[in-house]
Amino acid sequence: MERIAAPAVAAAGPEESIARQDSTVAIVAFVGLAAALVLLFPFPPVLDYANHYARIWLLSGGIGEQPFPEIYAVDWNRTFTNVGIDVLATWLGPLVGADRLARALLFLAIVLPPLGAIGLHRALFGGRHHWQTAMLSLSWCATMIGGFINFQIGLGMALFFACLDLRLQRRNPALVFVWRLAAALLLTVMHIFALGFYMAIVCGLEFSWRIDIVRSKVGLMRLAGRLVLAFGACVLPPLALYLHTAALPNAGGDGLGLVWNDGVVLIVMNLLSAITTYVPVVDVVLVLPLILICTRAVRAGDIRIHAGLAVTACGLLLLSCVSPRHMLGTGWISWRFPIMTALVAMAMMCPFANLTRRHALLLALVINFAVFGRTGWVGWNWWLAQKDVAAVEAVLKKAPAGAAVLPLGHEPETVSGLAHSNRHFAWGLDTFRHLPTLAVPFSHAFVPTLFTAKGKQPLSVLTPWSEIAVPEGNLLSIGVLSCPAMMQQYRDFTPYLSDWRSRFDFVLVANADIPDRYVGTFMPVGLTLVEDAGFAKLYRINKAVPAEPFAIPAGCATAL
C-alpha cells in the first residue's frame, strides 16, 4: 500500500489549517555549520583523516620533494576502486592545494550522504517536509568519524545518482542502461560499496511503491527483467576494471581474513554504528526523539512508505547482521551496512506530512534539537581535539627532514570521562591513531603506517623503506619496546618493529599525558626526550644502545 494508513485530518478552523512544511532553512544552516567546523578545525578527531591528508599531500605534488622520490611511487595498476580522493588529489591537488582539497573532501563526506537522502525523499514525496531535516543527523556516524572518506562520498553520490535514475526510469531503456553504466563506473572508482548501495536503491525503486506487484505473474516477470538489466549495467564496469588491474585487497597472507560479529551484543553494537560518534550514550539520547517521531506517526496513521525501498532497507539490515567485521585486509566491513540501512529507511518514509501549524512547529523544534544537538556535540569534540593536534605539530617541528619516525602511543587503562571524549569513538577505538602520519607533510619525514594497501591505494613504498612499512597500521602501546613477549606477539603484523633502534631515528608517542596501561610512562634505555608537548612526546633513538632491554617492567606480564 502507498500509505500505512490514510491520515485522518480532523476538521479545523483557519488557525489550525494544515501547515506548509519547509526544511530549507535548517538544511542550509546545517551545511553552513558543517563548513564552519571543517574550516575552524583543520585536523578533527576523525580516525583516518590525517592519514588521508598525508597521502593527498604526496599525490598533490609533495612526492616530488625530498626525500620522497626515494621513498614512494605512484602505480595506478595497484587498484581499481577506493581511489576517488586519490584521483582528485592527482588532478586538482596541484591546482587548489592539498589542504584546501582535503578539507573540501572531508566536508563532502559529511554532507553528501544526508543531502542525497533528502534529494531522494523530495523526488519520491515532493515538498520540503521537516522529516528531511532529520536526515541530517546521519551525517554523524561511525564511518564518518572513522574517516572513511571515499565511502562516505560514495554513499552521497549513489543517492544523488538514484534521484536521476528515478527520473530516467520511464525513458528509453537504452538511455537508462547507458546512464547506469556511467554511474557504475564513477561509483566503482570512488568506492565499491557505493556501487553496491546504488544497485540496492535502484532495485528498490524498480520495485516501485506498491507491494502487490508480487501478486501479478506478468508484473513479477517484468520486474525480474528490469532488475536483471539494472544489475547487468552496474556489474560490467567493475568487472572490466578488475580484469584490467587484477588487484584486490589482501589479508597479509591470511586468506580472506574473516572476522565475524559472533554474538547478539556485537551485532547490536554494529547496528548502532549508524549513529555512533564519540560517546554512544550521548548519540542514542539525541537520536531517540527521531525514533519516537516515527513510532508516533505510525500510531497516528500519518506516514507514507515506499514499498520497494522498504524491501531494500530490510535487505541492507540483514546484511548489517550477517556481514563479517573484517575481510580481505579491510576493517569494519560490517559498519558499512547499518548507515546504508538508515539512509534508505529515512528516505523511504514521510511521517507527519499533515500537521496543523502548531504541531508542525513542535515537530520542527524536536527535529532541529536532535540534529543540531548532535552537531554541537561533534563540534565540542572537534574543539577539544585541537590542543592534541597542536601538540603533535609542536613535536614534529623537532624532527628533521628525511628522518624515520616510529609512532607509538599510551594505551589507557579505561576509556571514560568527557574531558578527553574526543580521543575515542565507537566503543573505545582511538581517533588519534594516524596523527603521527602528519610527519610526512609537516616534517618531510618517513612514517611506516601511511596507507599504501595494494587494491585500495595507488601509493607504494620503495625498497629499502618497504622493509619497515605496513600498508595499514595501528598505534601500538609503548610497552612493545620494553616487553619481549609483546614484541613477539606483534612482530608478524608490524615488521618495522624488528631492529627498530637501527632503522628509526625518533619515537613519537601519542596520548602521552595519560599513563600507559602496561608500562605507565616507562621508556627503554637509549631514548632521549627531545620535546614534551603533553599529548605528544618525541624521543631521539640512540642507535649505539644494545637492542635487549636492561629492565622489563612488571606491567609486561599483563600484556599477554
Side-chain angles (χ1 to χ4, degrees):
M1 296 177 64
E2 184 174 338
R3 298 171 186 261
I4 284 184
V9 182
E15 70 281 0
E16 294 183 338
S17 60
I18 299 302
R20 180 177 176 271
Q21 300 182 27
D22 194 341
S23 58
T24 303
V25 173
I27 294 171
V28 171
F30 177 86
V31 171
L33 182 55
L37 291 176
V38 172
L39 290 173
L40 289 172
F41 308 122
F43 295 102
V46 171
L47 176 61
D48 288 349
Y49 178 67
N51 206 314
H52 288 316
Y53 183 97
R55 195 174 76 258
I56 289 170
W57 181 84
L58 286 169
L59 294 174
S60 297
I63 198 170
E65 301 180 15
Q66 290 298 328
F68 297 122
E70 287 75 39
I71 299 178
Y72 298 108
V74 179
D75 180 7
W76 291 101
N77 289 321
R78 288 168 53 86
T79 183
F80 67 94
T81 186
N82 193 43
V83 292
I85 65 176
D86 301 89
V87 172
L88 292 173
T90 303
W91 291 353
L92 299 179
L95 299 177
V96 303
D99 184 71
R100 290 190 183 93
L101 179 60
R103 295 194 196 211
L105 292 170
L106 178 61
F107 171 73
L108 292 177
I110 295 169
V111 302
L112 274 189
L115 291 182
I118 291 169
L120 182 58
H121 190 272
R122 289 187 175 181
L124 290 172
F125 297 97
R128 303 173 180 180
H129 304 282
H130 290 319
W131 182 245
Q132 293 162 8
T133 304
M135 299 178 197
L136 298 170
S137 183
L138 295 180
S139 290
W140 313 116
C141 57
T143 52
M144 178 58 243
I145 306 302
F148 300 179
I149 306 298
N150 278 313
F151 173 76
Q152 286 286 122
I153 294 176
L155 293 185
M157 290 172 58
L159 287 161
F160 278 113
F161 288 173
C163 295
L164 184 54
D165 195 279
L166 186 63
R167 294 179 179 274
L168 294 176
Q169 279 186 6
R170 299 184 181 276
R171 302 289 183 88
N172 188 312
L175 175 63
V176 176
F177 189 85
V178 171
W179 152 248
R180 288 172 175 168
L181 282 175
L185 177 61
L186 292 174
L187 291 170
T188 300
V189 171
M190 181 55 67
H191 200 286
I192 195 67
F193 277 87
L195 174 61
F197 188 43
Y198 172 70
M199 293 169 64
I201 299 172
V202 166
C203 289
L205 294 177
E206 287 284 6
F207 195 94
S208 191
W209 283 92
R210 302 179 66 84
I211 196 75
D212 56 5
I213 191 174
V214 298
R215 302 190 185 101
S216 168
K217 184 176 180 180
V218 175
L220 195 59
M221 293 299 295
R222 289 176 179 174
L223 173 62
R226 294 198 303 270
L227 294 181
V228 169
L229 286 175
F231 186 80
C234 292
V235 166
L236 286 177
L239 179 61
L241 289 173
Y242 168 70
L243 293 176
H244 176 69
T245 59
L248 286 175
N250 61 67
D254 190 28
L256 293 176
L258 292 170
V259 178
W260 299 93
N261 294 309
D262 49 353
V264 175
V265 173
L266 289 177
I267 291 174
V268 171
M269 291 169 62
N270 187 73
L271 293 175
L272 288 175
S273 68
I275 61 169
T276 300
T277 59
Y278 299 101
V279 178
V281 173
V282 176
D283 295 309
V284 171
V285 169
L286 291 174
V287 169
L288 191 58
L290 305 182
I291 298 175
L292 295 177
I293 288 172
C294 295
T295 58
R296 181 62 184 270
V298 170
R299 290 198 302 268
D302 190 358
I303 187 169
R304 297 176 65 197
I305 292 182
H306 188 284
L309 289 183
V311 173
T312 295
C314 291
L316 292 171
L317 179 62
L318 177 62
L319 287 174
S320 301
C321 297
V322 303
S323 60
R325 189 163 73 246
H326 306 301
M327 184 177 68
L328 287 173
T330 300
W332 303 113
I333 295 291
S334 57
W335 275 7
R336 324 293 171 121
F337 297 105
I339 184 59
M340 294 183 192
T341 304
L343 287 166
V344 172
M346 294 192 80
M348 77 180 188
M349 68 177 73
C350 186
F352 289 127
N354 304 277
L355 292 174
T356 63
R357 293 177 183 177
R358 183 179 59 183
H359 290 146
L361 177 60
L362 178 60
L363 177 66
L365 289 175
V366 171
I367 290 176
N368 279 274
F369 169 79
V371 170
F372 288 95
R374 292 198 76 205
T375 305
W377 163 247
V378 170
W380 163 257
N381 283 278
W382 286 23
W383 176 78
L384 281 180
Q386 294 317 294
K387 57 181 179 294
D388 298 342
V389 174
V392 173
E393 293 180 356
V395 301
L396 286 177
K397 292 178 180 178
K398 302 295 183 178
V405 178
L406 173 61
L408 296 172
H410 282 188
E411 185 175 326
E413 184 71 32
T414 58
V415 178
S416 62
L418 296 179
H420 300 297
S421 59
N422 60 285
R423 295 186 185 180
H424 297 88
F425 80 113
W427 322 110
L429 297 176
D430 54 60
T431 61
F432 51 82
R433 180 182 309 172
H434 295 296
L435 284 180
T437 58
L438 294 177
V440 172
F442 289 174
S443 302
H444 287 201
F446 171 81
V447 179
T449 54
L450 192 69
F451 289 154
T452 54
K454 186 176 182 180
K456 290 191 283 186
Q457 283 92 33
L459 201 65
S460 63
V461 185
L462 302 173
T463 54
W465 299 93
S466 58
E467 299 170 5
I468 55 169
V470 290
E472 297 170 320
N474 295 331
L475 197 63
L476 300 181
S477 162
I478 59 171
V480 75
L481 302 182
S482 304
C483 305
M486 192 175 182
M487 173 71 78
Q488 186 62 37
Q489 179 183 2
Y490 287 109
R491 192 185 298 273
D492 293 339
F493 304 101
T494 53
Y496 56 82
L497 289 175
S498 300
D499 200 16
W500 61 271
R501 288 185 184 272
S502 64
R503 300 303 299 270
F504 289 91
D505 304 299
F506 295 89
V507 174
L508 192 159
V509 181
N511 203 34
D513 54 349
I514 295 178
D516 183 76
R517 65 183 301 180
Y518 303 118
V519 298
T521 58
F522 179 86
M523 296 295 285
V525 173
L527 296 181
T528 304
L529 182 63
V530 176
E531 185 70 16
D532 181 354
F535 171 81
K537 293 181 181 180
L538 187 70
Y539 294 85
R540 180 181 288 106
I541 299 174
N542 183 352
K543 300 179 183 296
V545 176
E548 293 79 11
F550 289 96
I552 299 177
C556 287
T558 65
L560 298 178

